[in-house]
Amino acid sequence: MVEMRKIERALISVSDKAGLSELAAVLAGFGVEIVSTGGTAGALRASGLTVTDVAEITGFPEMMDGRVKTLHPKIHGALLGVRHNADHLASMHNHGISPIDLLVVNLYPFERTIAKEGVSVEEAIENIDIGGPAMIRSAAKNWRSVAVVTKPEDYPDTIRELRANDGSISLETKARLAAEAYALTSEYDRKIAEYLSQEITRERHHDPLPCDAPFGESYNIYLGKVRDLRYGENPHQRAALYTADETDGIANAEQIHGKEMSFNNYLDADAAWDLVNDFDELAVAIIKHTNPSGVGVGTTVDEAYARALATDPVSAFGGIVAFNRKVDAKAARSVIEIFSEVVIAPEFDYEAIEILKTKKHLRILRAMPEAGFYSKRQYRQISGSGFLVQEADRHHLNESDIRITTDRRPTDDEVRAMMLGWSVCKHVKSNAIVLANETGTLGVGAGQMNRIDSVRIAAMRAERFGLTLKGSALASDAFFPFRENVDQAAQLGITAIIQPGGSIKDDESIAAANEHGIAMLFTDVRHFKH
């Protein structure tokens, strides 16, 4: 075991200067020699610190627009030399290499660069860091001798440890920092590889879509652990939450109050948040087992919540409630009248939070308004170590996209009901049927093996809670293979149907709708959700 040694020499080279001056000042206070490069050296000198330029160590100036400055044996030998290896020490002595005990490096902002609108491939390439990852990997490989700090977020803990250990960093901390360092370089390389692969694919196929659209020849996913979970879908399954280093979505929502989120809470919360963010107007969704039990729209959050609850107040018990607008006190009082697992919104009034907190275990999540509305890619694991990767279903139907296929044109209220039902149907497991009026859902039929049963279940739910279906609309996530669904809808008093179309028996469905005086619209878009 290597004993803990005081840090005598540190190399600092960063793109992000946040928190740097405080860390460097603490190092200087322990008598640490600070070696640095370019802009970092200038920033440190501006804060009154003495700095040795890397060029003084290597004997070479920075060259090729800064591409070459730290790629030198006197830098990498200083990082890689094992302190208790006599041959390494002899080589360092013979070649005038002084050891570096601490490396503080963060990388060129490649991801931020390619996220800019209109960025060129040339600009992206110039923001690929070479020297930084090379030094990070060298230091992390030699973690027993060298500490490597790669994130400004780690500076406060580093400072505390330096002060607690008289200018030293423990082996345990060095090992943790090394693991973080390799995770950083792995993810950095993944993003570069993905970008270049997409660019090559786009150019090869003359793809007009943005550079993040094509699927490249390989696809890597880096996930950083957020927390361990109590268990998975069931108590005998272990589980944890990971995130791909993004700042939005349910994985990054702020939990204001309540019990720890469970595996199933996260799944349901994500489904609820995705659904309400599919609405431009004020909307509330209540989710149970990833399917909506009810969705409502309105002029106030309380009104929309009441309409969502009315669809199925029994299934709403123990559900997840999502709002796409700020929650006020009136809505909060309505929510706590029944037991809910999670409440999600972009914002809450102070009074609303205090009301919701009266329920000790209720989980309150604040998520960014634009967050959670579909990641760019979705992943599903299958056996054989396979992953299915797809673009998320971000299709948003406009009234101008729909085709009227029947003799009778729908009324304005029927169009609003169909559009609402269609927006909800997209978030219901197939085979999906949603019955709705212009203010909210009336019944939801989810996950059935045939579409006729989905219609029956949706109607049963509406009738169970005294909701009239006369004059309502029916939305189907996929086409009708037979006219039975239209006949069944007519018996229920439904007067408008929205469906994708595309069946070889579409003419039979259209004829049935005309017989019953039902207005039917085709979207030419399917929304299977498996």
Side-chain angles (χ1 to χ4, degrees):
M1 183 65 68
V2 179
E3 64 181 18
M4 196 160 60
R5 294 188 177 91
K6 287 190 68 172
I7 291 171
E8 297 181 356
R9 199 165 183 240
L11 194 159
I12 304 176
S13 180
V14 296
S15 294
D16 184 350
K17 307 296 192 295
L20 182 62
S21 58
E22 183 181 1
L23 174 62
V26 171
L27 291 169
F30 282 107
V32 176
E33 178 192 357
I34 296 175
V35 179
S36 192
T37 62
T40 305
L44 293 172
R45 288 192 178 103
S47 64
L49 296 171
T50 300
V51 178
T52 302
D53 284 314
V54 162
E56 295 179 41
I57 307 297
T58 64
F60 280 85
E62 293 185 17
M63 62 181 72
M64 301 177 187
D65 300 317
R67 286 186 172 201
V68 180
K69 51 191 172 188
T70 58
L71 297 170
H72 194 278
K74 286 199 173 182
I75 299 301
H76 286 272
L79 294 169
L80 285 165
V82 176
R83 307 301 194 263
H84 62 276
N85 184 307
D87 289 341
H88 286 206
L89 293 176
S91 294
M92 294 171 76
H93 175 75
N94 292 337
H95 295 285
I97 298 174
S98 298
I100 293 171
D101 307 305
L102 172 66
L103 177 72
V104 181
V105 169
N106 52 61
L107 306 177
Y108 292 169
F110 179 79
E111 187 176 21
R112 191 164 72 240
T113 298
I114 61 173
K116 294 190 300 186
E117 187 175 351
V119 65
S120 66
V121 175
E122 290 72 20
E123 184 180 355
I125 288 172
E126 286 308 310
N127 277 276
I128 296 175
D129 202 321
I130 302 300
M135 289 191 293
I136 288 172
R137 291 176 62 82
S138 291
K141 178 175 181 175
N142 197 23
W143 61 268
R144 292 185 182 276
S145 300
V146 183
V148 52
V149 179
T150 56
K151 302 193 300 289
E153 294 84 357
D154 285 331
Y155 295 173
D157 286 342
T158 303
I159 290 170
R160 279 191 289 271
E161 183 146 351
L162 288 167
R163 287 172 171 162
N165 297 325
D166 192 28
S168 301
I169 294 177
S170 69
L171 287 173
E172 181 182 3
T173 298
K174 288 179 180 178
R176 176 180 60 79
L177 291 171
E180 288 182 7
Y182 277 119
L184 172 70
T185 57
S186 173
E187 172 64 355
Y188 193 74
D189 286 343
R190 182 195 71 80
K191 290 171 180 173
I192 295 168
E194 183 178 284
Y195 172 80
L196 293 177
S197 178
Q198 289 168 349
E199 281 297 317
I200 291 167
T201 303
R202 185 173 65 86
E203 290 180 4
R204 181 186 302 158
H205 299 288
H206 305 289
D207 196 326
L209 295 173
C211 64
D212 67 348
F215 287 85
E217 297 302 314
S218 64
Y219 199 87
N220 300 305
I221 308 170
Y222 169 77
L223 301 174
K225 182 186 277 190
V226 178
R227 65 181 63 89
D228 287 309
L229 303 177
R230 286 181 297 163
Y231 51 79
E233 285 183 283
N234 300 289
H236 62 275
Q237 296 170 267
R238 291 187 293 180
L241 171 66
Y242 291 80
T243 183
D245 241 7
E246 297 181 9
T247 59
D248 55 15
I250 292 300
N252 298 289
E254 176 191 1
Q255 183 168 352
I256 299 171
H257 174 75
K259 290 171 59 178
E260 177 186 353
M261 290 280 288
S262 72
F263 186 96
N264 292 333
N265 289 154
Y266 276 114
L267 287 177
D268 288 335
D270 187 58
W273 188 237
D274 278 352
L275 198 163
V276 293
N277 276 281
D278 216 352
F279 281 81
D280 295 325
E281 64 267 50
L282 188 158
V284 177
I286 303 174
I287 293 287
K288 198 71 171 289
H289 304 311
T290 72
N291 278 305
S293 67
V295 177
V297 298
T299 56
T300 68
V301 286
D302 186 60
E303 181 181 50
Y305 173 75
R307 288 169 174 170
L309 181 63
T311 306
D312 188 346
V314 172
S315 296
F317 183 86
I320 311 291
V321 185
F323 298 80
N324 66 358
R325 298 289 193 277
K326 180 188 285 189
V327 176
D328 58 22
K330 187 176 181 181
R333 279 190 283 270
S334 296
V335 168
I336 65 170
E337 287 179 2
I338 69 166
F339 168 65
S340 298
E341 291 277 4
V342 184
V343 177
I344 316 154
E347 193 54 78
F348 298 84
D349 286 344
Y350 174 79
E351 188 179 356
I353 292 176
E354 295 305 302
I355 292 168
L356 294 170
K357 280 184 175 180
T358 62
K359 296 298 182 180
K360 181 179 178 181
H361 299 305
L362 176 63
R363 301 160 180 89
I364 307 172
L365 300 184
R366 180 189 287 121
M368 294 169 59
E370 67 280 75
F373 184 47
Y374 307 115
S375 300
K376 292 178 181 178
R377 298 282 166 87
Q378 292 176 327
Y379 314 94
R380 296 285 292 273
Q381 187 177 4
I382 58 174
S383 60
S385 300
F387 278 85
L388 299 171
V389 183
Q390 68 170 354
E391 294 177 344
D393 185 357
R394 292 179 287 179
H395 184 272
H396 188 77
L397 186 68
N398 297 310
E399 287 188 31
S400 59
D401 299 329
I402 56 181
R403 291 192 291 126
I404 301 172
T405 62
T406 50
D407 297 337
R408 187 174 77 79
R409 298 181 65 84
T411 65
D412 290 345
D413 282 349
E414 286 174 333
V415 170
R416 284 192 288 270
M418 284 188 284
M419 295 296 286
L420 186 150
W422 181 256
S423 294
V424 176
C425 204
K426 174 180 170 182
H427 299 271
V428 179
K429 293 292 179 67
S430 272
N431 286 313
I433 293 290
V434 174
L435 307 180
N437 59 27
E438 68 274 16
T439 64
T441 52
L442 301 171
V444 178
Q448 299 307 301
M449 285 65 75
N450 67 72
R451 204 160 294 279
I452 294 174
D453 282 349
S454 290
V455 175
R456 289 174 180 154
I457 289 171
M460 175 194 71
R461 293 181 185 279
E463 292 163 358
R464 180 181 181 185
F465 301 111
L467 302 174
T468 180
L469 294 178
K470 187 176 182 180
S472 66
L474 180 152
S476 174
D477 65 333
F479 62 64
F480 293 147
F482 306 104
R483 65 171 283 164
E484 285 97 324
N485 289 279
V486 182
D487 295 330
Q488 191 177 19
Q491 293 172 12
L492 295 169
I494 289 163
T495 58
I497 293 174
I498 185 168
Q499 59 136 319
S503 169
I504 59 173
K505 296 189 176 182
D506 277 347
D507 288 345
E508 292 183 15
S509 293
I510 294 169
N514 283 329
E515 289 173 23
H516 298 298
I518 292 174
M520 188 157 66
L521 307 185
F522 281 8
T523 65
D524 299 319
V525 174
R526 186 184 81 185
H527 282 307
F528 274 166
K529 185 180 182 186
H530 282 66

